[in-house]
Amino acid sequence: MKIEFAPLHVPLQRRLQTAAVVQWVFSFLALAQCCLAVFVLLCLSDYWPLALLYVGWMYIDRDTPVTGGRRCYWVRNWAIWRYFRDYFPISLVKTVDLDPKHNYLFGFHPHGVLVAGAFGNFCTEASGFSRLFPGLTPYLLMLPFWFRVPFFREYIMSGGLVSSEKSSASHILSRPGGGSVAVIAIGGAPESLEARPGALTLQVLNRKGFIKLALKHGAHLVPVFSFGENELFDQMENPTGSALRAAQERLQKVMGIALPLFHARGVFQYSFGLLPYRQPVHTVVGRPIPVEQNLNPSREEIDALHGLYLDSLSQLFEENKAQYGIAAQRHLNFI
């Protein structure tokens, strides 16, 4: 394989953008393990009382990830996130105003490998969420497993990440007065195994829990499509039925996390590595679907709203695909 090296003379701005993405990938892939290692070393050192105090704090604070988290606006406004945004670049596109008197459930599609669009747009202020949607506060839902990792839990909550447990979403969507947004990557970890350039397959046909949540709390549904999300990484071939896919699905069932074997570019060369490609990501927030509260929705009512949501998602995609370089003959595939 011929290696394409980066030029020696790269503008400082681009170097800073790459550095910002390096720390983001590190945070996703290794920061939790590093935090756990630090905690174990603390336990084995003369400073073990500090570790014991922190365990006590985790117990006292155990409900925070399911009751709105603990965001830090200083962290969300770090300058590093602006460099992260400009690397791709990432943009947030508003189609209509959203009334802050309501609570909303944003269905984010597609999941991609590392949900770069969801993180950049809803866990930081780099793309101007608060400016575009005044009065709304976004919460990105993440697997509960990660909120059990010492120290790492504090970091991810600072950006607005909360647990994806049902009680967590219910807490957000039931807040009186409105203004809260629960952002859910509907396809979840299984959909990340389909993420590769050109993919338009969404795992959504059998996912109706978010619909039931919206009905129970009267939260308005908003489809969100992130154009370019699947273009950021290549992935090893793992067709359904292959040994690799079977192992990945088994891991996902046991641990709740998928393990897509992805690759893209490196820091000093463009031929291989774990950094995403410099491909634009345009996250388009669609029109809201008004939902009347129904504490005990029937299966028929859930199915009807689910069908309406799929129609709205398809319409959002069709109305915007030409602008973002997708051929007219290509359409979403729901499975």
Side-chain angles (χ1 to χ4, degrees), residues 133-169:
F133 299 102
L136 296 183
T137 302
Y139 300 86
L140 179 62
L141 276 67
M142 189 177 187
L143 289 172
F145 170 82
W146 299 112
F147 296 93
R148 302 187 183 104
V149 181
F151 308 128
F152 184 69
R153 68 190 295 274
E154 319 299 338
Y155 176 64
I156 57 178
M157 281 196 291
S158 68
L161 284 154
V162 296
S163 173
S164 59
E165 294 175 65
K166 185 185 295 185
S167 60
S168 175

Short mmCIF file of all heavy atoms in Angstrom, two decimals, residues 133-169:
data_model
loop_
_atom_site.label_atom_id
_atom_site.label_comp_id
_atom_site.label_asym_id
_atom_site.label_seq_id
_atom_site.Cartn_x
_atom_site.Cartn_y
_atom_site.Cartn_z
N PHE A 133 -31.56 27.75 18.57
CA PHE A 133 -32.76 27.30 19.25
C PHE A 133 -32.81 27.89 20.67
O PHE A 133 -32.62 27.18 21.66
CB PHE A 133 -32.80 25.77 19.31
CG PHE A 133 -32.82 25.11 17.97
CD1 PHE A 133 -31.66 24.54 17.45
CD2 PHE A 133 -33.97 25.06 17.21
CE1 PHE A 133 -31.66 23.93 16.20
CE2 PHE A 133 -33.99 24.46 15.96
CZ PHE A 133 -32.83 23.89 15.45
N PRO A 134 -33.04 29.19 20.78
CA PRO A 134 -33.04 29.83 22.10
C PRO A 134 -34.12 29.23 22.99
O PRO A 134 -35.23 28.95 22.56
CB PRO A 134 -33.32 31.31 21.78
CG PRO A 134 -33.95 31.30 20.41
CD PRO A 134 -33.35 30.15 19.69
N GLY A 135 -33.74 29.05 24.26
CA GLY A 135 -34.69 28.52 25.22
C GLY A 135 -34.72 27.01 25.32
O GLY A 135 -35.42 26.46 26.18
N LEU A 136 -33.96 26.32 24.46
CA LEU A 136 -33.93 24.86 24.48
C LEU A 136 -32.58 24.37 25.03
O LEU A 136 -31.54 24.96 24.75
CB LEU A 136 -34.14 24.29 23.08
CG LEU A 136 -35.50 24.55 22.41
CD1 LEU A 136 -35.57 23.85 21.07
CD2 LEU A 136 -36.64 24.10 23.32
N THR A 137 -32.61 23.28 25.78
CA THR A 137 -31.40 22.67 26.34
C THR A 137 -31.32 21.23 25.86
O THR A 137 -32.21 20.42 26.18
CB THR A 137 -31.43 22.69 27.88
OG1 THR A 137 -31.57 24.05 28.32
CG2 THR A 137 -30.16 22.10 28.46
N PRO A 138 -30.26 20.87 25.10
CA PRO A 138 -30.17 19.51 24.57
C PRO A 138 -29.46 18.55 25.53
O PRO A 138 -28.51 18.93 26.22
CB PRO A 138 -29.34 19.70 23.30
CG PRO A 138 -28.42 20.84 23.63
CD PRO A 138 -29.20 21.75 24.56
N TYR A 139 -29.92 17.31 25.56
CA TYR A 139 -29.30 16.24 26.35
C TYR A 139 -29.10 15.05 25.41
O TYR A 139 -30.10 14.49 24.92
CB TYR A 139 -30.19 15.83 27.52
CG TYR A 139 -30.48 16.94 28.49
CD1 TYR A 139 -31.54 17.82 28.27
CD2 TYR A 139 -29.72 17.11 29.65
CE1 TYR A 139 -31.83 18.84 29.16
CE2 TYR A 139 -30.01 18.13 30.55
CZ TYR A 139 -31.06 19.00 30.29
OH TYR A 139 -31.34 20.01 31.19
N LEU A 140 -27.87 14.67 25.18
CA LEU A 140 -27.59 13.52 24.32
C LEU A 140 -27.52 12.26 25.19
O LEU A 140 -26.76 12.21 26.16
CB LEU A 140 -26.27 13.71 23.57
CG LEU A 140 -25.84 12.56 22.65
CD1 LEU A 140 -26.85 12.33 21.53
CD2 LEU A 140 -24.45 12.87 22.04
N LEU A 141 -28.31 11.26 24.84
CA LEU A 141 -28.37 10.04 25.64
C LEU A 141 -27.26 9.07 25.24
O LEU A 141 -26.99 8.87 24.05
CB LEU A 141 -29.73 9.36 25.47
CG LEU A 141 -30.84 9.90 26.39
CD1 LEU A 141 -31.22 11.32 26.03
CD2 LEU A 141 -32.08 9.00 26.35
N MET A 142 -26.62 8.48 26.25
CA MET A 142 -25.47 7.59 26.07
C MET A 142 -25.66 6.35 26.93
O MET A 142 -26.34 6.38 27.95
CB MET A 142 -24.19 8.35 26.48
CG MET A 142 -22.89 7.65 26.16
SD MET A 142 -21.50 8.74 26.65
CE MET A 142 -20.11 7.81 25.99
N LEU A 143 -25.04 5.24 26.54
CA LEU A 143 -25.19 3.98 27.26
C LEU A 143 -24.86 4.14 28.75
O LEU A 143 -23.86 4.76 29.10
CB LEU A 143 -24.29 2.90 26.65
CG LEU A 143 -24.71 2.38 25.27
CD1 LEU A 143 -23.63 1.46 24.72
CD2 LEU A 143 -26.03 1.66 25.34
N PRO A 144 -25.69 3.58 29.65
CA PRO A 144 -25.48 3.74 31.09
C PRO A 144 -24.12 3.24 31.57
O PRO A 144 -23.59 3.75 32.56
CB PRO A 144 -26.61 2.88 31.70
CG PRO A 144 -27.63 2.77 30.62
CD PRO A 144 -26.89 2.80 29.33
N PHE A 145 -23.56 2.26 30.87
CA PHE A 145 -22.28 1.67 31.26
C PHE A 145 -21.21 2.73 31.52
O PHE A 145 -20.43 2.65 32.48
CB PHE A 145 -21.83 0.71 30.14
CG PHE A 145 -20.43 0.20 30.28
CD1 PHE A 145 -20.15 -0.88 31.11
CD2 PHE A 145 -19.38 0.80 29.60
CE1 PHE A 145 -18.85 -1.35 31.24
CE2 PHE A 145 -18.09 0.34 29.72
CZ PHE A 145 -17.82 -0.75 30.55
N TRP A 146 -21.15 3.75 30.67
CA TRP A 146 -20.07 4.74 30.74
C TRP A 146 -20.17 5.64 31.97
O TRP A 146 -19.17 6.23 32.39
CB TRP A 146 -20.04 5.58 29.47
CG TRP A 146 -19.80 4.75 28.25
CD1 TRP A 146 -20.68 4.51 27.24
CD2 TRP A 146 -18.61 4.04 27.92
NE1 TRP A 146 -20.11 3.68 26.30
CE2 TRP A 146 -18.84 3.38 26.70
CE3 TRP A 146 -17.36 3.88 28.55
CZ2 TRP A 146 -17.88 2.59 26.09
CZ3 TRP A 146 -16.40 3.09 27.95
CH2 TRP A 146 -16.66 2.45 26.73
N PHE A 147 -21.35 5.74 32.57
CA PHE A 147 -21.52 6.60 33.74
C PHE A 147 -21.13 5.88 35.04
O PHE A 147 -21.26 6.44 36.12
CB PHE A 147 -22.97 7.09 33.82
CG PHE A 147 -23.35 7.97 32.66
CD1 PHE A 147 -23.94 7.43 31.53
CD2 PHE A 147 -23.07 9.33 32.69
CE1 PHE A 147 -24.26 8.23 30.44
CE2 PHE A 147 -23.39 10.14 31.61
CZ PHE A 147 -23.98 9.59 30.49
N ARG A 148 -20.63 4.66 34.89
CA ARG A 148 -20.12 3.92 36.05
C ARG A 148 -18.60 3.96 36.12
O ARG A 148 -18.01 3.39 37.03
CB ARG A 148 -20.61 2.48 35.99
CG ARG A 148 -22.14 2.35 35.96
CD ARG A 148 -22.60 0.92 36.08
NE ARG A 148 -24.06 0.83 35.96
CZ ARG A 148 -24.69 0.41 34.87
NH1 ARG A 148 -23.99 0.03 33.82
NH2 ARG A 148 -26.00 0.36 34.85
N VAL A 149 -17.96 4.62 35.15
CA VAL A 149 -16.50 4.70 35.12
C VAL A 149 -16.05 5.91 35.93
O VAL A 149 -16.44 7.04 35.63
CB VAL A 149 -15.98 4.80 33.67
CG1 VAL A 149 -14.45 4.86 33.66
CG2 VAL A 149 -16.47 3.62 32.84
N PRO A 150 -15.24 5.71 36.96
CA PRO A 150 -14.78 6.84 37.79
C PRO A 150 -14.13 7.94 36.97
O PRO A 150 -13.39 7.66 36.00
CB PRO A 150 -13.76 6.19 38.74
CG PRO A 150 -14.14 4.75 38.78
CD PRO A 150 -14.67 4.43 37.41
N PHE A 151 -14.37 9.17 37.33
CA PHE A 151 -13.82 10.38 36.71
C PHE A 151 -14.37 10.61 35.30
O PHE A 151 -14.75 11.72 34.95
CB PHE A 151 -12.28 10.35 36.67
CG PHE A 151 -11.65 10.06 37.99
CD1 PHE A 151 -10.71 9.05 38.13
CD2 PHE A 151 -12.00 10.78 39.12
CE1 PHE A 151 -10.12 8.76 39.35
CE2 PHE A 151 -11.43 10.52 40.36
CZ PHE A 151 -10.49 9.50 40.48
N PHE A 152 -14.41 9.57 34.47
CA PHE A 152 -14.91 9.70 33.10
C PHE A 152 -16.36 10.19 33.11
O PHE A 152 -16.76 10.99 32.27
CB PHE A 152 -14.80 8.36 32.38
CG PHE A 152 -15.20 8.40 30.93
CD1 PHE A 152 -14.43 9.08 29.99
CD2 PHE A 152 -16.35 7.74 30.48
CE1 PHE A 152 -14.79 9.11 28.65
CE2 PHE A 152 -16.72 7.77 29.15
CZ PHE A 152 -15.94 8.45 28.23
N ARG A 153 -17.13 9.72 34.06
CA ARG A 153 -18.54 10.11 34.17
C ARG A 153 -18.68 11.61 34.35
O ARG A 153 -19.60 12.24 33.80
CB ARG A 153 -19.22 9.35 35.31
CG ARG A 153 -18.71 9.77 36.69
CD ARG A 153 -19.19 8.86 37.81
NE ARG A 153 -20.61 8.88 38.02
CZ ARG A 153 -21.25 9.76 38.80
NH1 ARG A 153 -20.55 10.72 39.42
NH2 ARG A 153 -22.55 9.70 38.96
N GLU A 154 -17.76 12.22 35.10
CA GLU A 154 -17.84 13.66 35.34
C GLU A 154 -17.58 14.43 34.04
O GLU A 154 -18.22 15.45 33.76
CB GLU A 154 -16.83 14.10 36.40
CG GLU A 154 -16.68 13.16 37.60
CD GLU A 154 -17.96 12.98 38.40
OE1 GLU A 154 -18.84 13.86 38.31
OE2 GLU A 154 -18.06 11.97 39.11
N TYR A 155 -16.63 13.92 33.27
CA TYR A 155 -16.26 14.58 32.01
C TYR A 155 -17.41 14.54 31.01
O TYR A 155 -17.76 15.56 30.41
CB TYR A 155 -15.01 13.93 31.43
CG TYR A 155 -14.61 14.48 30.09
CD1 TYR A 155 -14.21 15.81 29.96
CD2 TYR A 155 -14.62 13.68 28.95
CE1 TYR A 155 -13.84 16.33 28.72
CE2 TYR A 155 -14.24 14.20 27.72
CZ TYR A 155 -13.86 15.51 27.60
OH TYR A 155 -13.50 16.02 26.37
N ILE A 156 -18.00 13.35 30.82
CA ILE A 156 -19.04 13.26 29.79
C ILE A 156 -20.31 14.00 30.22
O ILE A 156 -21.00 14.59 29.38
CB ILE A 156 -19.35 11.79 29.41
CG1 ILE A 156 -19.77 10.96 30.63
CG2 ILE A 156 -18.16 11.16 28.73
CD1 ILE A 156 -20.12 9.53 30.29
N MET A 157 -20.61 14.02 31.52
CA MET A 157 -21.78 14.78 31.96
C MET A 157 -21.60 16.28 31.76
O MET A 157 -22.56 17.01 31.54
CB MET A 157 -22.11 14.48 33.42
CG MET A 157 -22.84 13.17 33.63
SD MET A 157 -23.62 13.03 35.28
CE MET A 157 -22.18 12.88 36.32
N SER A 158 -20.36 16.75 31.81
CA SER A 158 -20.11 18.18 31.67
C SER A 158 -20.53 18.71 30.30
O SER A 158 -20.83 19.89 30.15
CB SER A 158 -18.62 18.49 31.92
OG SER A 158 -17.81 17.96 30.89
N GLY A 159 -20.55 17.82 29.29
CA GLY A 159 -20.96 18.25 27.96
C GLY A 159 -22.44 18.15 27.71
O GLY A 159 -22.92 18.58 26.65
N GLY A 160 -23.18 17.55 28.65
CA GLY A 160 -24.62 17.40 28.46
C GLY A 160 -25.04 15.98 28.14
O GLY A 160 -26.20 15.75 27.76
N LEU A 161 -24.12 15.02 28.28
CA LEU A 161 -24.47 13.62 28.07
C LEU A 161 -25.16 13.07 29.32
O LEU A 161 -24.77 13.38 30.44
CB LEU A 161 -23.21 12.80 27.78
CG LEU A 161 -22.65 12.96 26.37
CD1 LEU A 161 -21.16 12.68 26.35
CD2 LEU A 161 -23.37 12.04 25.39
N VAL A 162 -26.20 12.27 29.09
CA VAL A 162 -26.93 11.64 30.19
C VAL A 162 -27.16 10.18 29.84
O VAL A 162 -26.97 9.75 28.70
CB VAL A 162 -28.29 12.34 30.45
CG1 VAL A 162 -28.08 13.77 30.93
CG2 VAL A 162 -29.17 12.31 29.20
N SER A 163 -27.57 9.41 30.83
CA SER A 163 -27.81 7.98 30.62
C SER A 163 -28.99 7.75 29.68
O SER A 163 -29.95 8.52 29.66
CB SER A 163 -28.08 7.30 31.97
OG SER A 163 -28.46 5.96 31.78
N SER A 164 -28.90 6.67 28.91
CA SER A 164 -29.98 6.34 27.98
C SER A 164 -31.05 5.46 28.61
O SER A 164 -31.92 4.93 27.90
CB SER A 164 -29.41 5.63 26.74
OG SER A 164 -28.72 4.45 27.11
N GLU A 165 -31.02 5.27 29.93
CA GLU A 165 -32.08 4.53 30.60
C GLU A 165 -33.42 5.23 30.39
O GLU A 165 -33.49 6.46 30.24
CB GLU A 165 -31.77 4.41 32.09
CG GLU A 165 -30.54 3.57 32.41
CD GLU A 165 -30.23 3.59 33.89
OE1 GLU A 165 -31.06 3.06 34.67
OE2 GLU A 165 -29.17 4.13 34.27
N LYS A 166 -34.48 4.44 30.40
CA LYS A 166 -35.81 4.99 30.16
C LYS A 166 -36.15 6.09 31.17
O LYS A 166 -36.75 7.12 30.81
CB LYS A 166 -36.85 3.88 30.21
CG LYS A 166 -38.25 4.34 29.85
CD LYS A 166 -39.28 3.24 30.04
CE LYS A 166 -39.04 2.09 29.10
NZ LYS A 166 -40.12 1.06 29.19
N SER A 167 -35.77 5.88 32.42
CA SER A 167 -36.07 6.87 33.46
C SER A 167 -35.38 8.20 33.19
O SER A 167 -35.89 9.27 33.53
CB SER A 167 -35.67 6.35 34.84
OG SER A 167 -34.28 6.07 34.89
N SER A 168 -34.21 8.14 32.55
CA SER A 168 -33.46 9.35 32.22
C SER A 168 -34.20 10.17 31.16
O SER A 168 -34.40 11.38 31.30
CB SER A 168 -32.06 8.99 31.73
OG SER A 168 -31.36 10.15 31.30
N ALA A 169 -34.61 9.49 30.08
CA ALA A 169 -35.36 10.18 29.03
C ALA A 169 -36.68 10.72 29.57
O ALA A 169 -37.10 11.83 29.24
CB ALA A 169 -35.60 9.23 27.86
#
